[in-house]
Amino acid sequence: MRRIGLAVVLTLSVLAPLVAEAQAEKVYRIGFLGLPSAGDTPELVAAFRQGLRDLGYAEGKNISIDYRWAEGRDDRLPALAVELVRLKVDVIVASATPPAKAAQGATDRIPIVFTGVADPIGVGLVDNLARPGRNITGFTTTNVELSAKRLEFLKAAVPNLTHVAVLVNQTNPQAPSLRKQTERGSSSLGLELQILEVERAENLPMVFKKISRRVGGLLVLPDPLLGSGDRQIQIAALALKHRLPTMERDRRFVAVGGLMSYGPNAADLHREAARHVDKILKGTKPADLPVEQPTKFELVINLKTAKALSLTIPQSLLLRADQVIQ
């Protein structure tokens, strides 16, 4: 009996390191679903990957990431979400509202972490921010509430502003609530709005030709298609051509020639998304992870663009800016 006991102990002592090594080598599979093309938002993907590295994950060692991009076509998202489900990924990261809704429609089992969603309750992703319920959680941008603030900053930059064109992607599930809040904000500021609906990026030049001569500024409502790299460049150039001061949510828009932006840092939100992914991979249920809201909002102003528009930005507004591009 003592020999048998000793053999069992020896066997366990040999197997224990092998079992531990096998556990340490487990590779988690992450699905990443985005609306634009892969080349449109490289900084957001880089931020998410950096967030994972900061938490001890290394691609090829303990995680792998399967990317699916809709190339700007909302109608492709459901099929791409189903592909990720069939791959049996451990968690799906959905960048913005349309991908999040597609992922929600594809699975009620695989955990989903969204980021860049303005109103997750309003579009039916979660029941409550503190306790999301079901298999979904993530990070909101509170962009719905910020629409009025963006109009306020735009009017501060253009004191005689009375009419504002509003560029909106009507296919975005978030569009109705964004429009509603923008209209409320415009009313309190005494501004009249011209709503410009766009469904395809190739229609942007035609949409700009519809802008009324009375319009003195342009607000671009948050949207993953309109807010992607190439579209931001195109919108900034068209606005400059039509001599329209612009306001968007994302500082990247200002970097490529837009006049102003106000909102949370999109890269930071994607970096933070890695924290929720980490907790889920370690066993926490999405339903128990509160949806987090940003605590910092950045105002960025491009003085080079202001000069091109013969616009003098008030000193009071410059002092409030987090960054001024000369």
PDB file of all heavy atoms in Angstrom, residues 194 196 203-213 238 241-242 244:
ATOM      1  N   GLN A 194     -30.825  72.163 -40.705  1.00  0.00           N
ATOM      2  CA  GLN A 194     -31.124  71.503 -41.973  1.00  0.00           C
ATOM      3  C   GLN A 194     -30.545  70.104 -41.875  1.00  0.00           C
ATOM      4  O   GLN A 194     -29.326  69.933 -41.861  1.00  0.00           O
ATOM      5  CB  GLN A 194     -30.501  72.239 -43.169  1.00  0.00           C
ATOM      6  CG  GLN A 194     -30.833  71.549 -44.497  1.00  0.00           C
ATOM      7  CD  GLN A 194     -30.105  72.158 -45.691  1.00  0.00           C
ATOM      8  OE1 GLN A 194     -29.328  73.107 -45.548  1.00  0.00           O
ATOM      9  NE2 GLN A 194     -30.341  71.612 -46.874  1.00  0.00           N
ATOM     10  N   LEU A 196     -29.349  66.637 -43.074  1.00  0.00           N
ATOM     11  CA  LEU A 196     -28.836  66.052 -44.314  1.00  0.00           C
ATOM     12  C   LEU A 196     -28.608  64.561 -44.082  1.00  0.00           C
ATOM     13  O   LEU A 196     -27.708  64.171 -43.335  1.00  0.00           O
ATOM     14  CB  LEU A 196     -27.529  66.728 -44.722  1.00  0.00           C
ATOM     15  CG  LEU A 196     -27.592  68.243 -44.958  1.00  0.00           C
ATOM     16  CD1 LEU A 196     -26.188  68.814 -45.104  1.00  0.00           C
ATOM     17  CD2 LEU A 196     -28.429  68.550 -46.194  1.00  0.00           C
ATOM     18  N   ASN A 203     -22.172  59.298 -51.635  1.00  0.00           N
ATOM     19  CA  ASN A 203     -23.186  60.340 -51.848  1.00  0.00           C
ATOM     20  C   ASN A 203     -22.834  61.669 -51.199  1.00  0.00           C
ATOM     21  O   ASN A 203     -23.567  62.651 -51.358  1.00  0.00           O
ATOM     22  CB  ASN A 203     -24.541  59.868 -51.291  1.00  0.00           C
ATOM     23  CG  ASN A 203     -25.089  58.670 -52.045  1.00  0.00           C
ATOM     24  OD1 ASN A 203     -24.724  58.418 -53.185  1.00  0.00           O
ATOM     25  ND2 ASN A 203     -25.961  57.925 -51.390  1.00  0.00           N
ATOM     26  N   LEU A 204     -21.736  61.735 -50.460  1.00  0.00           N
ATOM     27  CA  LEU A 204     -21.397  62.934 -49.704  1.00  0.00           C
ATOM     28  C   LEU A 204     -21.299  64.198 -50.572  1.00  0.00           C
ATOM     29  O   LEU A 204     -21.855  65.234 -50.200  1.00  0.00           O
ATOM     30  CB  LEU A 204     -20.100  62.718 -48.927  1.00  0.00           C
ATOM     31  CG  LEU A 204     -20.246  61.967 -47.593  1.00  0.00           C
ATOM     32  CD1 LEU A 204     -18.895  61.581 -47.036  1.00  0.00           C
ATOM     33  CD2 LEU A 204     -21.018  62.804 -46.585  1.00  0.00           C
ATOM     34  N   PRO A 205     -20.600  64.186 -51.724  1.00  0.00           N
ATOM     35  CA  PRO A 205     -20.531  65.410 -52.533  1.00  0.00           C
ATOM     36  C   PRO A 205     -21.912  65.916 -52.941  1.00  0.00           C
ATOM     37  O   PRO A 205     -22.174  67.128 -52.917  1.00  0.00           O
ATOM     38  CB  PRO A 205     -19.714  64.977 -53.759  1.00  0.00           C
ATOM     39  CG  PRO A 205     -18.873  63.843 -53.262  1.00  0.00           C
ATOM     40  CD  PRO A 205     -19.760  63.113 -52.296  1.00  0.00           C
ATOM     41  N   MET A 206     -22.820  65.012 -53.290  1.00  0.00           N
ATOM     42  CA  MET A 206     -24.174  65.385 -53.684  1.00  0.00           C
ATOM     43  C   MET A 206     -24.945  65.975 -52.496  1.00  0.00           C
ATOM     44  O   MET A 206     -25.695  66.947 -52.633  1.00  0.00           O
ATOM     45  CB  MET A 206     -24.921  64.158 -54.232  1.00  0.00           C
ATOM     46  CG  MET A 206     -26.301  64.458 -54.793  1.00  0.00           C
ATOM     47  SD  MET A 206     -27.116  62.931 -55.369  1.00  0.00           S
ATOM     48  CE  MET A 206     -25.889  62.341 -56.554  1.00  0.00           C
ATOM     49  N   VAL A 207     -24.729  65.397 -51.304  1.00  0.00           N
ATOM     50  CA  VAL A 207     -25.400  65.874 -50.098  1.00  0.00           C
ATOM     51  C   VAL A 207     -24.970  67.307 -49.778  1.00  0.00           C
ATOM     52  O   VAL A 207     -25.782  68.152 -49.418  1.00  0.00           O
ATOM     53  CB  VAL A 207     -25.101  64.938 -48.907  1.00  0.00           C
ATOM     54  CG1 VAL A 207     -25.570  65.574 -47.598  1.00  0.00           C
ATOM     55  CG2 VAL A 207     -25.785  63.587 -49.106  1.00  0.00           C
ATOM     56  N   PHE A 208     -23.688  67.587 -49.922  1.00  0.00           N
ATOM     57  CA  PHE A 208     -23.186  68.923 -49.621  1.00  0.00           C
ATOM     58  C   PHE A 208     -23.781  69.978 -50.555  1.00  0.00           C
ATOM     59  O   PHE A 208     -23.955  71.132 -50.167  1.00  0.00           O
ATOM     60  CB  PHE A 208     -21.657  68.948 -49.700  1.00  0.00           C
ATOM     61  CG  PHE A 208     -20.982  68.707 -48.371  1.00  0.00           C
ATOM     62  CD1 PHE A 208     -20.845  67.426 -47.865  1.00  0.00           C
ATOM     63  CD2 PHE A 208     -20.497  69.769 -47.622  1.00  0.00           C
ATOM     64  CE1 PHE A 208     -20.234  67.196 -46.642  1.00  0.00           C
ATOM     65  CE2 PHE A 208     -19.891  69.555 -46.399  1.00  0.00           C
ATOM     66  CZ  PHE A 208     -19.758  68.271 -45.908  1.00  0.00           C
ATOM     67  N   LYS A 209     -24.102  69.582 -51.782  1.00  0.00           N
ATOM     68  CA  LYS A 209     -24.690  70.527 -52.731  1.00  0.00           C
ATOM     69  C   LYS A 209     -26.101  70.942 -52.329  1.00  0.00           C
ATOM     70  O   LYS A 209     -26.623  71.946 -52.824  1.00  0.00           O
ATOM     71  CB  LYS A 209     -24.701  69.914 -54.137  1.00  0.00           C
ATOM     72  CG  LYS A 209     -23.312  69.770 -54.765  1.00  0.00           C
ATOM     73  CD  LYS A 209     -23.398  69.177 -56.156  1.00  0.00           C
ATOM     74  CE  LYS A 209     -22.009  69.031 -56.778  1.00  0.00           C
ATOM     75  NZ  LYS A 209     -22.057  68.434 -58.137  1.00  0.00           N
ATOM     76  N   LYS A 210     -26.715  70.156 -51.431  1.00  0.00           N
ATOM     77  CA  LYS A 210     -28.071  70.460 -50.989  1.00  0.00           C
ATOM     78  C   LYS A 210     -28.104  71.464 -49.834  1.00  0.00           C
ATOM     79  O   LYS A 210     -29.173  71.915 -49.435  1.00  0.00           O
ATOM     80  CB  LYS A 210     -28.777  69.173 -50.541  1.00  0.00           C
ATOM     81  CG  LYS A 210     -28.966  68.143 -51.651  1.00  0.00           C
ATOM     82  CD  LYS A 210     -29.641  66.896 -51.095  1.00  0.00           C
ATOM     83  CE  LYS A 210     -29.808  65.836 -52.174  1.00  0.00           C
ATOM     84  NZ  LYS A 210     -30.435  64.604 -51.624  1.00  0.00           N
ATOM     85  N   ILE A 211     -26.951  71.822 -49.308  1.00  0.00           N
ATOM     86  CA  ILE A 211     -26.905  72.703 -48.144  1.00  0.00           C
ATOM     87  C   ILE A 211     -27.403  74.098 -48.509  1.00  0.00           C
ATOM     88  O   ILE A 211     -26.964  74.699 -49.488  1.00  0.00           O
ATOM     89  CB  ILE A 211     -25.477  72.778 -47.573  1.00  0.00           C
ATOM     90  CG1 ILE A 211     -25.059  71.400 -47.053  1.00  0.00           C
ATOM     91  CG2 ILE A 211     -25.386  73.813 -46.449  1.00  0.00           C
ATOM     92  CD1 ILE A 211     -23.639  71.351 -46.518  1.00  0.00           C
ATOM     93  N   SER A 212     -28.313  74.602 -47.719  1.00  0.00           N
ATOM     94  CA  SER A 212     -28.896  75.928 -47.948  1.00  0.00           C
ATOM     95  C   SER A 212     -27.843  77.027 -47.822  1.00  0.00           C
ATOM     96  O   SER A 212     -26.879  76.901 -47.053  1.00  0.00           O
ATOM     97  CB  SER A 212     -30.016  76.172 -46.929  1.00  0.00           C
ATOM     98  OG  SER A 212     -30.408  77.523 -46.922  1.00  0.00           O
ATOM     99  N   ARG A 213     -28.036  78.097 -48.554  1.00  0.00           N
ATOM    100  CA  ARG A 213     -27.102  79.228 -48.505  1.00  0.00           C
ATOM    101  C   ARG A 213     -27.130  79.923 -47.150  1.00  0.00           C
ATOM    102  O   ARG A 213     -26.186  80.621 -46.784  1.00  0.00           O
ATOM    103  CB  ARG A 213     -27.438  80.231 -49.616  1.00  0.00           C
ATOM    104  CG  ARG A 213     -27.146  79.709 -51.016  1.00  0.00           C
ATOM    105  CD  ARG A 213     -27.422  80.787 -52.059  1.00  0.00           C
ATOM    106  NE  ARG A 213     -27.115  80.303 -53.406  1.00  0.00           N
ATOM    107  CZ  ARG A 213     -27.246  81.046 -54.498  1.00  0.00           C
ATOM    108  NH1 ARG A 213     -27.690  82.299 -54.388  1.00  0.00           N
ATOM    109  NH2 ARG A 213     -26.955  80.540 -55.686  1.00  0.00           N
ATOM    110  N   LEU A 238     -14.714  68.799 -48.017  1.00  0.00           N
ATOM    111  CA  LEU A 238     -15.949  69.335 -48.589  1.00  0.00           C
ATOM    112  C   LEU A 238     -16.450  70.545 -47.792  1.00  0.00           C
ATOM    113  O   LEU A 238     -16.927  71.528 -48.363  1.00  0.00           O
ATOM    114  CB  LEU A 238     -17.023  68.251 -48.621  1.00  0.00           C
ATOM    115  CG  LEU A 238     -16.868  67.177 -49.702  1.00  0.00           C
ATOM    116  CD1 LEU A 238     -17.810  66.009 -49.439  1.00  0.00           C
ATOM    117  CD2 LEU A 238     -17.133  67.765 -51.089  1.00  0.00           C
ATOM    118  N   LYS A 241     -14.344  73.471 -48.680  1.00  0.00           N
ATOM    119  CA  LYS A 241     -14.707  73.922 -50.024  1.00  0.00           C
ATOM    120  C   LYS A 241     -15.972  74.772 -49.987  1.00  0.00           C
ATOM    121  O   LYS A 241     -16.081  75.787 -50.691  1.00  0.00           O
ATOM    122  CB  LYS A 241     -14.911  72.712 -50.941  1.00  0.00           C
ATOM    123  CG  LYS A 241     -15.346  73.069 -52.354  1.00  0.00           C
ATOM    124  CD  LYS A 241     -15.569  71.803 -53.183  1.00  0.00           C
ATOM    125  CE  LYS A 241     -16.080  72.139 -54.576  1.00  0.00           C
ATOM    126  NZ  LYS A 241     -16.331  70.903 -55.374  1.00  0.00           N
ATOM    127  N   HIS A 242     -16.928  74.373 -49.146  1.00  0.00           N
ATOM    128  CA  HIS A 242     -18.189  75.112 -49.025  1.00  0.00           C
ATOM    129  C   HIS A 242     -18.110  76.190 -47.936  1.00  0.00           C
ATOM    130  O   HIS A 242     -19.126  76.800 -47.620  1.00  0.00           O
ATOM    131  CB  HIS A 242     -19.336  74.141 -48.732  1.00  0.00           C
ATOM    132  CG  HIS A 242     -19.708  73.272 -49.884  1.00  0.00           C
ATOM    133  ND1 HIS A 242     -20.766  73.557 -50.732  1.00  0.00           N
ATOM    134  CD2 HIS A 242     -19.167  72.108 -50.363  1.00  0.00           C
ATOM    135  CE1 HIS A 242     -20.855  72.614 -51.662  1.00  0.00           C
ATOM    136  NE2 HIS A 242     -19.898  71.724 -51.456  1.00  0.00           N
ATOM    137  N   LEU A 244     -17.629  76.043 -44.627  1.00  0.00           N
ATOM    138  CA  LEU A 244     -18.479  75.753 -43.485  1.00  0.00           C
ATOM    139  C   LEU A 244     -17.637  75.392 -42.254  1.00  0.00           C
ATOM    140  O   LEU A 244     -16.882  74.413 -42.286  1.00  0.00           O
ATOM    141  CB  LEU A 244     -19.418  74.588 -43.794  1.00  0.00           C
ATOM    142  CG  LEU A 244     -20.565  74.855 -44.765  1.00  0.00           C
ATOM    143  CD1 LEU A 244     -21.273  73.552 -45.080  1.00  0.00           C
ATOM    144  CD2 LEU A 244     -21.539  75.866 -44.186  1.00  0.00           C
TER     145      LEU A 244
END
